[in-house]
Amino acid sequence: MTFVVPLPTLVPGWLRSVLSGRSAAVRGAGGDGPPAINELYHARRLSLVRLAVLMVDDLPTAEDIVQDVFAALYRRHGADLRTVADPHAYLTTGVMNAARSALRRRRTARAYVPPQPGLAPAAEDEMLLGHGDREVLAALAELTVRQRQVVVLRYWSELSEQEIADVLRVSRGTVKSTASRALSLLRGLLGEKR
């Protein structure tokens, strides 16, 4: 003897209870009151972890998020959830918000690029430099990048103003004015140190 149950009548009720996260164990005794937090935890934890995994794509982080949301619910309302209108909505909202926060923290952590350590000159280079050379290099470091480029190309590489303009892709007048400002700054910096 076989027992045949019409499938369409069972599936919608079961599907509704699974999708809403409610089951007979969650409704409490008799279905008249709100569930206790331990019943709610056993009934909803797995579906909430799945939801969090879909959000953060990381199982350990998802489990931590769900644990934190349940801990916050317990701290705020205790074991008896009579003061919570809809504990299922509370938990779902908490998991979604915590997952968004985890994603923001992850994005911030990935965007951070630590500063590169400065280059230190070799010890023998420092020893070979005279005192005046160190002063000039320190004064050059105080100039802007463009000023330093113009001064080095003009006085170290001995390029003409037109050649510097071609290399830097600026006008010849820009090279002249930049060199003039850079030299006056260098005179001031080197004059103050002497």
Side-chain angles (χ1 to χ4, degrees), residues 106-151:
R106 188 183 295 171
R107 183 176 53 236
T108 302
R110 287 179 180 165
Y112 174 72
V113 177
Q116 293 184 355
L119 297 175
E124 60 269 8
D125 290 344
E126 286 291 317
M127 293 307 295
L128 293 175
L129 289 176
H131 181 67
D133 294 336
R134 281 190 222 118
E135 283 183 352
V136 170
L137 289 175
L140 276 173
E142 298 292 323
L143 299 177
T144 65
V145 174
R146 175 61 54 87
Q147 289 172 340
R148 198 168 33 247
Q149 289 171 341
V150 168
V151 168

Side-chain angles (χ1 to χ4, degrees), residues 31-73:
D32 56 350
I37 195 160
N38 58 347
E39 295 170 344
L40 188 63
Y41 178 79
H42 290 295
R44 289 297 312 264
R45 184 189 70 82
L46 189 57
S47 64
L48 291 172
V49 168
R50 288 178 182 151
L51 174 66
V53 165
L54 289 174
M55 290 293 293
V56 298
D57 197 29
D58 179 26
L59 181 61
T61 304
E63 290 174 342
D64 290 344
I65 286 171
V66 172
Q67 292 293 337
D68 291 343
V69 170
F70 271 103
L73 177 66

Side-chain angles (χ1 to χ4, degrees), residues 17-37:
S17 69
V18 168
L19 291 177
S20 69
R22 299 173 192 268
S23 66
V26 175
R27 284 187 212 104
D32 56 350
I37 195 160

Side-chain angles (χ1 to χ4, degrees), residues 20 22 34-35 40 44 73 81-93:
S20 69
R22 299 173 192 268
L40 188 63
R44 289 297 312 264
L73 177 66
L81 302 176
R82 292 186 201 281
T83 58
V84 181
D86 188 3
H88 303 285
Y90 183 96
L91 290 170
T92 303
T93 302

